[in-house]
Amino acid sequence: MNIIRPSAFAALLACALLATGCDKKTAGPETPISRETKSPGELRLFCWSEYVPQTVIDKFTEETGINVYVENYASNEEMLAKLQAGGALYDLVQPSEYATEMLIKEGMLLPLNKANIPNFKNLAPEFVGMGYDPQNTHSVPFMGGSVGIVYNKERIKTPVNGFGDVFVPEHAGRIVVPDDAREIVTMALDHLGLPINEINADSLAAARTVLTDWLKLVKVYDSDSPKTALLNGDVDLGIVWSGEGALILNESDKFAWVLPREGAHLFVDNLAIPKTARNKAGAEAFINFILRPEVSILISEEFPYTNPNTEARKLLSPEQLANPASFPTKEEWARLEIFHDIGGAASDIDGVVTDLRAQ
Amino acid sequence: MGYLLPGSSTPTSATPRRTPGPAGWLLLSPLLLWLGLFVVVPTLLLVILSFCSRDPDAPGRVLYAFTLENYVRAFQPTYLKILGSSLLYAFLTAILCLVMGYPVAYFIGRAPEGRRNTLLALVMIPFWTSFLIRTYAWVTILSNQGFLNGILQASGLTSAPVDFMYTPGAVVLGLVYNYLPFMILPIYGSVEKLDQSLIEAAYDLGARPWSALVEVILPLTRPGIVAGFFLVFVPSIAMFAITTLMGGGAVPTVGEVIQKQFTAARHAPFGAALGTLLLLLFFAGLWATKPRREPEPID
Amino acid sequence: MNTMVLLENVSKRFGSTVALQEVNIEIFAGEFLTFLGPSGCGKTTCLRLISGFERPSTGRVILDGRDVTGDPPYLRDVNQVFQTYALFPHLSVRDNIAFGLRMKKLPLAETRERVDKIIEVVSLDGLADRKPSQLSGGQKQRVALARAVVCQPKVLLLDEPLSALDAKLRHQMRLELKSLQKRLGITFVFVTHDQEEALAMSDRIVVMNLGRVEQIGGATEIYHRPATRFVASFIGDTNIVEAEVLGTDDGKILCRLEGGLQVLVRARNAPPDGKILVSLRPEKIRIHKTRPPGENVFRATVISEVFKGAVDDLTLRTEGGLELGVLDTNEGSDEVEFDVGEDAWCRIHPDDVIILGG
């Protein structure tokens, strides 16, 4: 009768170990990367899941004969960890602004040869020379975006202009926010008028006080697809990435987009070449390819974030350009601020948010 | 009546002590190597990491300086509470899977032999599609404008949408749905081996169906129940994809918290400490449900 | 004698196969009754109808005067010793034996007393705390017996309980079972395919074949007066010979066997006519060197001989070409040795020629 035991115990042991390190989002096409299989006609792209359209990659291969192998990640930290661990050889990575800053600081990126990237000139001036890479020596913007508010006009009748209007007791159980401790704390810091990139014990304590009231009202934490809960009617308003916001506006005119009056996070996702790259020329060719207006609009069509490419914007339809989530006004742009590396404070932020969510 | 004849009193089925010979060790070596490389070594690394500190200058880097700080933090009420609620969800899931899975497993295990494989395949078919697709299918059923609310409102049972999504109930539903086969299969294995004459003997001795179940069938299928319980309970503790997708992540699960330590929070040693505690908990659970060795024959 | 079990016009079909056909059996209180037959004959089905694990397709099962046809096993006052013992592996010997009493919710003290007593009766002292996996086959057998008997059933059903034991233990257990049954006075219903077992223990035997009862009777009756060709051939060895009735004379029937040999047969019932079958037991055919006196004497030639110690196993051919198996018991005053090719005088008593029905 005990025959089943040994196998069951082995299975349990295996489960116990797996349980400590599973991840749901890295289900993209995994390609083994090693020195042996390397050949000049290959480009290994390590990028966010669902960010680089397959049509763009196919077109690049068709034109250059370079095969592109794609591997995905779900967070900047996941990408950083993989690069820091060594062994994995990528030709191109796609870090956000603060991650780019860290990679440059740690000397993990190769300087770009601008001569190979003539299309750099197509970039809008506001996306050139941003704080994390003032001379764009190591990175080229891929897409930008903001973190803003979307609300259901049919259900929310009070005016919504900023974070303070979202987190009110009447909206309890009707709010979605990103499942991201830094974005959550940034909302509170912006609301308090505190700097979002110099986090200390005092500012964190102040943010905590605000978030203690705010997080009680939240129904859903979702970074992957916050639009699902909004479009399904499970929540009536929330804080979402601008690309998601733009998609929601395209899908239903019940919704409105607001860039918080207190200010908000501006993120810029870049293309950069890690030091371990084997095909720098191919990587630079890919960057230059992406910066072509007719290629850039392919990305905008699938992921309506803020296109940093002036020439590409000229090819977009008036409707696309009129989407307030995709293209903020000048005044709104002034309210946005990029993230810088905050070092050890990341853990403190996580501790505060975890603590409040567990209440 | 002297029965104890030589040759007939030797217990025939008492298990002999099993120690593999040289050939046995050779046959076991791939397994041992696998266990060593993929179980023992990573576990040891995890435990070592849990006692390390972070580099104050570059927090993503680990400093190999001994500290208990990670464990002190892990025992803060916040993390104990998260652990507790994760265990509670997992326990509830395992119990529901047992209650729903046992009759199914029993039915399949007692079905005519030729039909068992078909029935097992029916249990498995939904799991040929991706986990995310299956879970999103539930989202479309349970959301406010979803299938279920549509039916309820069309039939006039409710006038306003009922909140099914992003509730503890949705989390448990998602977990039960995804882990039910892990309960059914091991119990099926036990039921299939159950000798029909033992059940008949129980009835013959006056046991009514309920007594036969409690006194004979359940105790004899206990190995399958224990295995199934752990196969559901253990992964449920850390299965944050479902708690996030279907529960909205309102209460973080321990798996999610651990994952975040290795990513956004950039505090791998703390994540390792939480992981180690979870591991210890599993071992305690295993020990508690371990089969007790029966006394050896007297002679 | 009181009737304990009555199977009344019982038929049982499993799908399209007929397991039992119009069976009528009466089992008396206190008797040791054996169902005997080859596998698939329906004997186990009969047992399962009594225990309640099967319900008859037609007919009724009466237990101690009560119709129990539709009752589940746990409502019937019968207990069974299973072929594989079916001891509960998770319970000790004591708990196995106490199971039935516990299910009947007997007071604890009484349960303990009865269990202790039966443990003594079946000589399991000292093993009470062991698990079944720690017992030998014979010990398991006795636990199974004790577990059933302790419930004091009206009928004890035994489904080939000895088949898993080795030959020596099996012989011993036969005697044990028989003496236990006498002491307890419980009705035993025993199922076996082993004729020796059946003949040794039973008060009465029900010989079954192909879902029908062939004959019911005591051991000697079944052996010496087989009612059918099947019974005659299934129990012991015999010569079955076609015959033709020639006439009746003074309570005896004159028959001509195939090959032309004419024999007188003691008529027991209404004398049959036309073609019949007769059974001649090999040990009933006496052979002599010289012509013996009396009826049914004929000549034959020894065509093979196998010496088996207590007996000589001979095959003889009569003048008409009929081959007969004969057991020479090597007893009596007559010459003992016969060689192959030798002629002999044979004789069979009219009482020993059995006319078979069916």
Side-chain angles (χ1 to χ4, degrees), chain A residues 4-5 12 16-17 19 23 77 102 106 179 219-221 229 231-234 343-344 347 350 354-355 357-359, chain B residues 39 43 59 61 78 81 143-145 163 166 222-223 230 238 248-250 256 260-261 263 266-267 282 286 291:
Chain A
I4 193 174
R5 294 279 179 162
L12 292 182
L17 288 160
D23 186 11
E77 289 75 14
M102 278 169 59
E106 304 248 328
D179 186 4
K219 184 172 188 187
V220 181
Y221 294 84
L231 288 170
N232 282 340
D234 290 303
S347 175
D350 179 75
T354 304
D355 194 21
R357 281 173 63 181
Q359 296 302 312
Chain B
V39 179
T43 308
R61 297 194 190 283
T78 297
K81 195 173 166 189
S143 72
N144 269 7
Q145 289 162 21
D163 278 347
Y166 310 116
R222 185 172 168 270
F230 270 91
E256 189 184 346
K260 282 199 172 137
Q261 301 314 311
T263 57
R266 305 178 69 217
H267 199 333
F282 295 149
L286 283 183

Side-chain angles (χ1 to χ4, degrees), chain A residues 131-142:
Chain A
Y132 56 89
D133 185 7
Q135 307 300 320
N136 281 97
T137 47
H138 292 83
S139 68
V140 169
F142 175 83

